[in-house]
Amino acid sequence: MIIRMKMSFYSYVILITLINYAFTKPHLEAVSRRDTEHFADDPERHDIEFDHNAFLGEETAKEFSQLTPDESEEKLKVIIGKIDKNNDKNITESELKAWIEYIATKTKQNSTDRQWNDINPTNNYSIKWKEYLEKTYGPEEERLKDIETSESYKEAVRHDRRRWVAADLDKDDSLNKTEFADFVHPEDRPNMREAVIEELLESVDKDKDGYVSEKEYLSKLKFM
């Protein structure tokens, strides 16, 4: 029973964190292999830091990396106390799941806040599409001048535009902060479902023929 609970919780951690990494709005530059692969089934390549971030949150995980073993132990006791909602000195699977969901939500909120503030430092009520493009990618003419990056720029803008339209509930071609949160983290928002599915299918359809072959499907599973 103990082993089954551990496996269930471990799988849950992987699921939550993979969803976040898979659909968080990426920058134009390619995401590193380490950011997209966890290697959960390969002990030699297993990314422990990935697990730490899922359990602690990225900022708290960074704090832990600077602490001594004794300091880490004391801080971990505080966190365990927060997880143990009924104060029975035992951590149940449901308590662990609730904690991971809390950390995932907090991480998404922090990510949204950072990107919102970067693009909108004066904290206007909403961000216009053209303003977003300029702040995110720089002047379009500069991007299109570089032959090596122009195609990836066009593809990134196309993906962004699809998400933007889906997130723009009032159809004013601007996003307020709530809509922007859907744009950045669309994975659990009903209005973003179609955009997310299309994005995922495009990432699998490597030959761009509009279909997902068995080979493409299996290749994607192997990569994940």
Side-chain angles (χ1 to χ4, degrees), residues 71-151:
E71 290 172 334
S72 295
E73 183 177 349
E74 289 303 313
K75 194 170 184 66
L76 186 58
K77 287 179 181 178
V78 174
I79 293 174
I80 294 299
K82 293 179 180 179
I83 299 174
D84 183 19
K85 291 296 185 181
N86 59 6
N87 297 314
D88 66 350
K89 307 301 180 183
N90 292 300
I91 302 299
T92 65
E93 183 176 1
S94 62
E95 287 173 330
L96 285 170
K97 285 183 177 181
W99 175 257
I100 292 298
E101 288 176 346
Y102 163 74
I103 291 297
T105 299
K106 183 179 178 182
T107 298
K108 286 191 288 186
Q109 184 61 58
N110 290 341
S111 170
T112 299
D113 289 344
R114 281 196 301 270
Q115 295 187 61
W116 175 266
N117 292 333
D118 286 344
I119 297 171
N120 183 22
T122 56
N123 197 30
N124 294 325
Y125 175 74
S126 62
I127 300 172
K128 297 183 181 300
W129 167 245
K130 289 185 177 180
E131 179 185 6
Y132 164 78
L133 287 181
E134 182 79 15
K135 293 288 183 65
T136 302
Y137 300 115
E140 183 177 42
E141 57 271 18
E142 294 298 322
R143 283 291 188 179
L144 294 177
K145 280 181 182 178
D146 191 333
I147 298 177
E148 292 185 1
T149 63
S150 62
E151 288 306 314

Side-chain angles (χ1 to χ4, degrees), residues 35-50:
D35 286 336
T36 57
E37 293 192 55
H38 181 214
F39 301 118
D41 298 324
D42 188 337
E44 293 185 1
R45 295 188 295 169
H46 181 201
D47 187 356
I48 297 176
E49 185 177 346
F50 188 98

Side-chain angles (χ1 to χ4, degrees), residues 23-25 108 111-112 115 163 179-187 192:
F23 295 116
T24 297
K25 167 68 184 68
K108 286 191 288 186
S111 170
T112 299
Q115 295 187 61
R163 282 197 187 190
E179 293 171 330
F180 186 75
D182 289 354
F183 172 74
V184 176
H185 295 284
E187 60 274 6
M192 303 299 293

Side-chain angles (χ1 to χ4, degrees), residues 11-65:
S11 299
Y12 188 79
V13 172
I14 294 172
L15 175 62
I16 292 294
T17 49
L18 279 180
I19 287 174
N20 287 336
Y21 275 108
F23 295 116
T24 297
K25 167 68 184 68
H27 292 291
L28 175 60
E29 288 72 21
V31 178
S32 71
R33 183 180 181 88
R34 186 177 175 282
D35 286 336
T36 57
E37 293 192 55
H38 181 214
F39 301 118
D41 298 324
D42 188 337
E44 293 185 1
R45 295 188 295 169
H46 181 201
D47 187 356
I48 297 176
E49 185 177 346
F50 188 98
D51 296 335
H52 289 175
N53 289 343
F55 183 73
L56 299 171
E58 187 174 349
E59 293 182 3
T60 304
K62 287 180 180 178
E63 290 180 22
F64 264 78
S65 68

Side-chain angles (χ1 to χ4, degrees), residues 166 186-199:
E187 60 274 6
D188 58 356
R189 304 300 301 162
N191 57 302
M192 303 299 293
R193 189 170 297 143
E194 185 173 340
V196 167
I197 291 173
E198 289 182 14
E199 195 170 309

